[in-house]
Amino acid sequence: MTIAPLRLRLDGTALADNWRTLDRLSGAAACGAAVKADGYGLGAAAVAARLARAGCRDFFVATWAEAEALAPLGCTVSVLHGVRAEDMAVAPGIARPVLSTPAQIARWREAGRGPCDVMVDTGMNRLGVSVQAVGEGLLDGLQVETLMSHLACADEETAMNARQRDAFAGLARKTGARRMSLANSAGIALGADYAFDLTRPGLALYGGRQRAGHDAIRQVVIPEAQVLQRRTVPAGQTVGYNATWTAPADSEVAILNIGYADGYFRGFSDHGAARAGDVRLPVIGRVSMDLLAVLVDAAPDVAEGDWLALDYDLPAAAVASGMSQYELITSLGTRFDRVWSG
Ligand SMILES: *Cc1c(COP(=O)(O)O)cnc(C)c1O
């Protein structure tokens, strides 16, 4: 097997600790895990196996293909995007659908497929049936395991959070659902009255921090790239595409094997940094598709073949790159070796 010149260091202990933190913040409610988009890019099977060992029992994916990938683990999986006609061949064998339209509900009921989840829209106007339709008996005769809704602005201070929570709470004991679930990562940090019976964190499991309540959340992912070349750039010469960085003096530069095709986006140009131990090595010039230049004047020992870690603590990396924490974590590409510890 070849060893890739770039790798993700994945901290399984931090992942499990983050789940335990979110479980604690969820109070009496159970804490599940959103592992859609291949476990937010880390690898859904590897993530789910570790979280199942930590005690997590409820997993959420977007599609039936994602559910199939988790089937060998034998855990409880809900498919957030519901069930289309073309999914009925595999449903519910490997997961429960989260039904979100009257057509899906009719399809499920007529096929007599048993336990399901249901998404109710409380104001986001994304997926879900209306509160009013539920009140009028849309779910009658369905075996609803979990009734869900989703918060549009849980990472902000806005009256919309309480409005959504109150609309959702108004459905308590009106549907026969065994459990109710509203909060994502940010919603968990809004307080106990957002937890209901089951929470569904995603981002915070993987090291995202959006609210004060996330202070204990730890970084899980560190991208590392190998130095392909070290060079001296004479004063006045430039580095990289479009010659955006000019050496103010003779400068030591290392070229790393990572670029925007790996999810290390162009927004990090002149804003990101690598590390040699504690020494910060600023990104200089444009991020290329597969390559990156960093200034190594402060690290005389960095040489061809060395591995450097990139600054990727999600909140700070989001500020540096101008991307959201979600975009950063889910975009880390397929060329990395994914190396788990813990
Ligand atoms: C993605 C998703 C989550 C997890 O959200 P985070 O903000 O990543 O915690 C929870 N519920 C639903 C319906 C989702 O689509």
Side-chain angles (χ1 to χ4, degrees):
M1 237 184 75
T2 58
I3 296 169
L6 66 174
R7 64 192 177 203
L8 293 181
R9 290 222 169 269
L10 300 165
D11 185 340
T13 305
L15 175 74
D17 283 352
N18 288 345
W19 182 80
R20 282 186 276 267
T21 295
L22 293 159
D23 187 43
R24 185 163 15 84
L25 288 171
S26 299
C31 182
V35 295
K36 60 198 181 185
D38 199 22
Y40 285 46
L42 278 56
V47 165
R50 282 173 175 77
L51 294 181
R53 253 182 273 141
C56 182
R57 292 292 170 261
D58 300 272
F59 295 88
F60 301 89
V61 297
T63 68
W64 288 88
E66 291 184 332
E68 266 175 333
L70 293 183
L73 294 176
C75 43
T76 302
V77 177
S78 295
V79 178
L80 291 165
H81 292 188
V83 67
R84 304 165 306 160
E86 49 274 61
D87 300 321
M88 292 299 278
V90 290
I94 50 174
R96 281 197 306 267
V98 183
L99 305 175
S100 61
T101 70
Q104 290 176 11
I105 288 168
R107 182 177 296 129
W108 198 252
R109 185 189 281 121
E110 278 153 30
R113 292 294 169 93
C116 59
D117 299 336
V118 171
M119 178 66 71
V120 186
D121 178 60
T122 51
M124 187 174 188
N125 283 299
R126 201 173 64 169
L127 295 180
V129 296
S130 71
V131 171
Q132 187 188 344
V134 171
E136 291 168 1
L138 180 66
L139 310 184
D140 289 357
L142 276 186
Q143 206 180 322
V144 181
E145 177 67 19
T146 308
L147 188 70
M148 299 182 200
S149 192
H150 194 49
L151 296 165
C153 315
D155 56 344
E156 290 179 69
E157 300 310 325
T158 160
M160 187 164 176
N161 291 326
R163 271 205 308 278
Q164 287 196 268
R165 178 202 59 203
D166 293 347
F168 189 55
L171 294 174
R173 290 174 300 280
K174 297 223 173 97
T175 67
R178 199 174 72 81
R179 298 190 293 183
M180 294 179 73
S181 173
L182 176 65
N184 58 357
S185 300
I188 290 170
L190 284 174
D193 46 352
Y194 287 80
F196 291 88
D197 304 308
L198 170 66
T199 59
R200 310 186 305 268
L203 184 73
L205 292 170
Y206 310 108
R209 294 191 303 277
Q210 299 163 295
R211 305 191 64 94
H214 290 160
D215 289 346
I217 294 295
R218 295 167 52 195
Q219 185 172 359
V220 174
V221 182
I222 299 180
E224 294 181 345
Q226 219 168 2
V227 176
L228 299 182
Q229 185 166 18
R230 181 181 173 121
R231 63 167 64 252
T232 304
V233 178
Q237 289 203 15
T238 63
V239 170
Y241 281 123
N242 304 105
T244 60
W245 187 85
T246 304
D250 290 357
S251 300
E252 291 296 300
V253 173
I255 308 301
L256 308 188
N257 193 112
I258 188 170
Y260 60 77
D262 304 302
Y264 195 80
F265 292 111
R266 268 178 42 145
F268 285 109
S269 303
D270 293 314
H271 295 294
R275 297 272 159 181
D278 289 340
V279 180
R280 185 176 187 276
L281 309 172
V283 169
I284 54 174
R286 286 268 160 89
V287 177
S288 294
M289 184 184 296
D290 328 291
L291 295 167
L292 179 69
V294 296
L295 192 64
V296 291
D297 282 338
D301 296 337
V302 165
E304 188 174 327
D306 285 357
W307 288 87
L308 297 180
L310 289 150
D311 279 2
Y312 214 75
D313 188 40
L314 287 173
V319 171
S321 64
M323 312 282 289
S324 75
Q325 298 183 56
Y326 294 92
E327 290 168 300
L328 291 180
I329 191 82
T330 58
S331 297
L332 294 167
T334 54
R335 295 195 288 191
F336 293 95
D337 285 339
R338 284 168 163 72
V339 183
W340 286 90
S341 62

